[in-house]
Amino acid sequence: MHQSPQSATPQFASNTAATLFRQASAAGRGMLDSTELLTLLSAVGIAFAPEAPAENRPSAVDLRISLNNTREFGMVISAGMGGLDADLDEGNFKKDRASVYAATELTDAADFLGLFKRTLAWQRLAAIARRDGLPLPERQLKTCFEALLALAAIYSPGNPDAAFVLRSLELNPAHAGEQLTVRQAQCEFGAAPAVRLPRPIRKIEKLIHPQSIGIIGVSSTNMNFGRIILKNLMGSGYAKERMCIIRPGETEIDGVRCVENLKALDHKLDLLIVAVAASAVYELVDEIIETDSVESVMLIPGSLGETKASREPAAALAERINAAHAKPGGGPVFLGANCLGVVSHPGSYDSWFIPLERLPKPQKKAERNSVMLSQSGAFMITRISQNPWLDPRYMLALGNQTDLTHGDMLNYFAELPEIETIGIYIEGFKDLDGLDFARAVRKAVLKGKQVVVYKSGKTAPGMGGVMGHTASIAGGPILFESVVRQAGAIVAEDFNSFDDLFYIAGALHGKKIGGKRLGAISGAGFEAVGMADFIESDNFAMEMGELQAGTVSQLDEILLAKKLNALVEVRNPIDINPGADDEAHLQIVEAFLQDPEIDAVVVGLDPTAPSVRALESSKLRPGFDITDAKSTVHLMPPLVARNDKPVIGIVDGGQLYDAMSARLMDQGVCVFRNCARGTKALVRYVEARLYADALRTRN
């Protein structure tokens, strides 16, 4: 006799699953049969009735509830539309409407039930319950989620004591009546997979703050990549005396001493930069491991694992590097291959092979507080070239992740107190590193940081391009976004939104997010209305705050003093007329900020308005420009600094107003060049900050 659903316990379910897996495995099967499924589901408190006549089945919503052991994230729980609806392309729906996903390790039953309530399946359940006057099936679903999460914890690839790993358990269709009833189910299991040894990520300290650097691959006659890297190291302030070049037959190049080989080193290097041909890397890595002469290695060469011919030898190379981590001290850590390099401002070095004259990196913040991690070096190059105000403290290109992974890097930087914002470009994960990455996202968020992520390979052609670039396997974009967003990251849809979100996260990190009520101000009517139009994302919406009576009176006085009272109606959003000058804009901003019903302000600074001092130099009115003490450039930075609520300035104008925008951004004012991008970025940022606050409260 099977245990009743009401008396099922996680321990009983685990013991039952172990018995069933051993039984099926002994019979040479990796899948449970229908009798075994009945036993397993009964043990987890779920009724299994595949033979029930159609006329006896309840008229209920078809659900699909699954556990899947994914390559990137390990055990993932999902729930959403079932039956025929489960076969529909999720791309046809808004985020979280068809199904929701979460790494089982980073959720619980109550949290996952909250996610499930975003789906169309839940909305249908709620509509039927309202129509029929029945209670919502929250208890049944929560009990099911609890049982599946307990099962996942025991039979996950992260449990070293598990004899088997649950590969998948799919319940589809399932119906939530008095108890959860499943009409069809499938369960696959297998042996626990081998996992890579952990990398000694403490040695990333040597990579980003090296006290000594060696370079292999510097030409004494040509400006090859190695020589450019040498020039950049010197140009970024790294002392020649702390560098050496491994090159036989030379005594010095550009004033930096040369040594014959690694065995000739008189001390262990913190960092070795390898800029040789890919064919020479294999033997060189063996020498690096054998001599134990360096703590960290930067592999610049490409094509390792990116072409069909190189995949097998590159995989063997990765295995040898991994095996070295079992040695005392953990062996060296390797960054790359196919790696642009590292920019470490605290480490006083720039090892990118892009000449400094082509990509200067001026400091744009009093204290650099962010880090950018990217599989693609070119992604970082274009981001920084187009928007130097992103201004990271560190920039690291991961390349092929032959050794160090996204999870390793994020785990390391999540612990650094001086880092507040982390931006990451991902093409793919190594096996189970997505789970390490999601854990690190959650850790970073709980420590008060923001993590902004863009993942490429959203389409079949895109996935193919990823494989050809950094030999990465790109997983499904919906699964990726759901799991990483649930962990606490802000996931960007495209390059522009990555720039916007990474920038706003750094600019507003120190501001208080007290709620989601927005104040919108502009002298351009379309802009004031446009701000209100862009306050919704897929799963979150800000609202226009209702101004208190005292604020309305204060605004009336400002408008009267500026002779705008007959032209402007006080409301939110407010169109303050093109006749408003710099002072009027900022006085109204301050009034909004002081209102308890407003949590953030977006203000159009109206650069083209004749009363605004927005030009770098005015020929018509000499001195009526951004150098004027009454200009927005002078008045707005102290206003932003003395208020703890977020303020977004919009400078929607052409090149004539680049100087105004740049001067404001240089002084820490968060500026966007159109209201749509600025408001959308603020909405996404507020959503993430409020979610992070909720995570910290739960933990």
Side-chain angles (χ1 to χ4, degrees):
M1 180 179 293
H2 299 300
Q3 184 167 358
S4 68
Q6 288 75 20
S7 59
T9 65
Q11 187 59 52
F12 178 81
S14 172
N15 294 340
T16 301
T19 300
L20 294 172
F21 292 161
R22 283 194 298 269
Q23 173 183 302
S25 181
R29 290 183 284 112
M31 181 181 292
L32 300 186
D33 62 25
S34 59
T35 301
E36 292 161 341
L37 278 168
L38 177 63
T39 303
L40 177 63
L41 294 179
S42 178
V44 298
I46 297 171
F48 186 40
E51 304 302 328
E55 61 270 17
N56 294 338
R57 297 179 185 177
S59 176
V61 178
D62 285 344
L63 308 178
R64 181 190 55 80
I65 303 171
S66 303
L67 286 175
N68 285 285
N69 184 3
T70 66
R71 185 190 66 80
E72 302 101 322
F73 298 106
M75 295 303 298
V76 170
I77 185 171
S78 62
M81 300 187 303
L84 291 175
D85 287 343
D87 295 329
L88 298 175
D89 185 350
E90 289 187 283
N92 294 325
F93 300 89
K94 286 186 176 182
K95 293 173 187 175
D96 298 344
R97 295 300 188 269
S99 297
V100 289
Y101 303 81
T104 57
E105 186 178 310
L106 297 178
T107 192
D108 57 32
D111 175 54
F112 191 68
L113 178 59
L115 283 178
F116 177 70
K117 288 181 178 180
R118 298 176 177 178
T119 65
L120 290 172
W122 172 260
Q123 292 175 23
R124 289 176 180 174
L125 286 171
I128 291 172
R130 286 193 301 270
R131 183 195 67 190
D132 298 341
L134 298 173
L136 291 167
E138 294 178 294
R139 173 186 55 80
Q140 300 92 314
L141 289 167
K142 185 177 178 184
T143 299
C144 173
F145 297 155
E146 284 173 346
L148 295 187
L149 289 170
L151 202 61
I154 297 167
Y155 294 101
S156 74
N159 181 6
D161 299 324
F164 298 98
V165 166
L166 182 64
R167 290 181 176 165
S168 68
L169 175 59
E170 179 159 316
L171 315 176
N172 179 29
H175 298 123
E178 285 297 316
Q179 68 181 84
L180 195 72
T181 302
V182 176
R183 306 299 174 190
Q184 295 180 26
Q186 181 175 299
C187 180
E188 295 184 45
F189 66 95
V195 296
R196 291 205 299 168
L197 293 170
R199 277 68 60 202
I201 64 172
R202 66 185 184 280
K203 294 191 178 184
I204 295 174
E205 166 69 19
K206 302 292 186 180
L207 175 68
I208 61 174
H209 303 134
Q211 295 304 304
S212 56
I213 297 178
I215 315 174
I216 296 180
V218 178
S219 171
S220 59
T221 57
N222 298 317
M223 194 55 66
N224 67 347
F225 276 10
R227 189 75 172 273
I228 293 171
I229 291 170
L230 177 65
K231 294 285 189 182
N232 279 358
L233 288 170
M234 294 186 294
S236 57
Y238 201 85
K240 292 181 180 181
E241 297 76 24
R242 293 160 58 192
M243 288 190 282
C244 68
I245 298 168
I246 290 81
R247 185 175 179 86
E250 300 281 354
T251 57
E252 65 88 22
I253 298 174
D254 292 336
V256 176
R257 68 186 178 92
C258 298
V259 297
E260 289 289 309
N261 50 46
L262 291 174
K263 293 180 180 178
L265 291 169
D266 56 9
H267 64 283
K268 193 171 186 176
L269 293 173
D270 279 352
L271 172 60
L272 176 66
I273 301 173
V274 175
V276 299
S279 58
V281 169
Y282 301 100
E283 184 177 347
L284 178 58
V285 167
D286 289 336
E287 184 182 354
I288 290 168
I289 293 171
E290 179 186 349
T291 59
D292 193 28
S293 53
V294 302
E295 298 282 16
S296 65
V297 183
M298 194 182 297
L299 295 175
I300 304 298
S303 81
L304 295 177
E306 297 158 31
T307 62
K308 185 175 181 180
S310 70
R311 281 171 197 155
E312 188 173 330
L317 177 70
E319 288 178 6
R320 296 198 297 275
I321 291 173
N322 179 59
H325 294 319
K327 294 182 177 182
V333 291
F334 290 76
L335 183 70
N338 190 16
C339 165
L340 173 67
V342 172
V343 173
S344 170
H345 292 293
S348 300
Y349 86 92
D350 179 344
S351 73
W352 287 5
F353 52 77
I354 307 300
L356 289 173
E357 67 179 5
R358 292 181 178 269
L359 190 65
K361 304 173 185 72
Q363 187 160 330
K364 289 292 185 180
K365 298 174 185 173
E367 175 65 24
R368 301 175 193 259
N369 57 1
S370 64
V371 59
M372 192 183 294
L373 309 171
S374 175
Q375 274 185 268
S376 166
F379 178 84
M380 293 191 291
I381 291 170
T382 54
R383 306 275 71 71
I384 299 305
S385 178
Q386 294 176 16
N387 192 352
W389 289 275
L390 296 178
D391 199 23
R393 191 181 188 94
Y394 306 97
M395 290 179 277
L396 295 89
L398 277 68
N400 291 353
Q401 303 177 91
T402 301
D403 188 37
L404 290 171
T405 65
H406 290 298
D408 295 332
M409 285 294 180
L410 187 53
N411 264 297
Y412 178 83
F413 285 105
E415 296 285 357
L416 292 191
E418 63 270 27
I419 295 299
E420 297 173 350
T421 310
I422 304 168
I424 307 163
Y425 169 82
I426 295 172
E427 294 181 350
F429 289 116
K430 297 298 182 183
D431 291 356
L432 291 181
D433 191 57
L435 177 58
D436 285 342
F437 181 81
R439 289 176 183 141
V441 167
R442 180 63 60 86
K443 177 168 67 174
V445 170
L446 292 178
K447 288 180 175 291
K449 307 177 194 298
Q450 260 68 58
V451 181
V452 180
V453 182
Y454 176 75
K455 169 120 175 10
S456 63
K458 296 172 186 273
T459 63
M463 290 181 187
V466 161
M467 190 62 193
H469 177 220
T470 52
S472 294
I473 302 172
I478 294 176
L479 172 66
F480 168 86
E481 177 168 352
S482 296
V483 171
V484 172
R485 185 160 37 89
Q486 192 271 342
I490 311 173
V491 181
E493 292 79 16
D494 51 38
F495 296 158
N496 285 339
S497 65
F498 177 88
D499 290 352
D500 294 348
L501 292 167
F502 189 37
Y503 168 63
I504 199 171
L508 299 184
H509 183 83
K511 297 301 182 182
K512 177 183 177 182
I513 305 297
K516 57 181 184 179
R517 298 162 300 182
L518 180 67
I521 304 161
S522 179
F526 89 92
E527 198 168 61
V529 175
M531 294 168 189
D533 279 344
F534 292 111
I535 61 173
E536 294 186 4
S537 65
D538 285 336
N539 296 308
F540 177 82
M542 295 187 73
E543 58 193 44
M544 303 309 297
E546 185 174 346
L547 300 175
Q548 291 192 342
T551 305
V552 173
S553 297
Q554 186 178 357
L555 293 173
D556 282 335
E557 292 175 4
I558 295 169
L559 295 170
L560 178 63
K562 294 293 181 179
K563 297 181 172 56
L564 297 170
N565 55 306
L567 303 173
V568 178
E569 179 184 358
V570 174
R571 51 176 296 177
N572 182 27
I574 185 171
D575 173 2
I576 60 174
N577 190 272
D581 63 9
D582 303 69
E583 186 179 49
H585 281 78
L586 299 177
Q587 285 178 344
I588 293 171
V589 169
E590 187 109 53
F592 270 59
L593 289 171
Q594 298 305 313
D595 193 312
E597 299 299 319
I598 299 294
D599 299 306
V601 171
V602 179
V603 53
L605 298 172
D606 303 325
T608 59
S611 299
V612 174
R613 299 162 177 83
L615 292 171
E616 188 170 16
S617 178
S618 174
K619 295 180 180 178
L620 181 65
R621 301 170 70 182
F624 194 85
D625 53 39
I626 61 175
T627 64
D628 191 328
K630 293 183 179 181
S631 71
T632 299
V633 162
H634 286 264
L635 298 177
M636 191 168 184
L639 180 153
V640 168
R642 66 177 174 264
N643 285 281
D644 62 2
K645 295 178 183 179
V647 181
I648 306 293
I650 306 298
V651 180
D652 196 346
Q655 294 181 353
L656 280 175
Y657 309 103
D658 288 352
M660 175 188 185
S661 179
R663 289 279 297 275
L664 287 169
M665 294 169 77
D666 281 345
Q667 297 178 82
V669 178
C670 186
V671 171
F672 283 84
R673 298 305 294 267
N674 72 61
C675 68
R677 287 180 67 168
T679 307
K680 286 180 178 179
L682 177 64
V683 170
R684 294 289 305 281
Y685 180 68
V686 168
E687 177 186 10
R689 283 282 299 269
L690 293 176
Y691 180 55
D693 289 344
L695 287 176
R696 286 190 283 271
T697 299
R698 287 211 311 261
N699 287 270

